Amino acid sequence: MLTDPGGPFSDLSGAGLVEAVRLALEDVGGQVLGEPVQLISADHQQKPDIGLSIARTWLDQDKVDVILDVPNSGIALAVSTLVKEKNRIVIDASAATD
């Protein structure tokens, strides 16, 4: 989860949403379709370059398959482009832009 734990979107996403996802994963036994799921999260600090750098590291080095949340439209747009190039999945639960 690429989120905002202490900034202007923290009430909308942040630590509460990370905990909700952790609990949901616990409820399903830490697996999806028989595959183990590991939850990681990071603070994009409301900076597109930092958010994109974290996403790139996750996709290239950590072999992350899905990025969740991204509650900042500028960061969400940049990450969406990267994820499309890498043929992975992003679910922007709280980003909005025209």
Side-chain angles (χ1 to χ4, degrees), residues 82-98:
L82 176 66
V83 167
K84 184 177 180 181
E85 291 171 7
K86 303 289 184 179
N87 198 28
R88 303 284 175 75
I89 298 169
V90 63
I91 301 174
D92 295 320
S94 51
T97 183
D98 57 354

Side-chain angles (χ1 to χ4, degrees), residues 19-31:
E19 180 63 10
V21 170
R22 187 192 67 73
L23 291 170
L25 285 173
E26 188 177 289
D27 284 348
V28 298
Q31 295 186 351

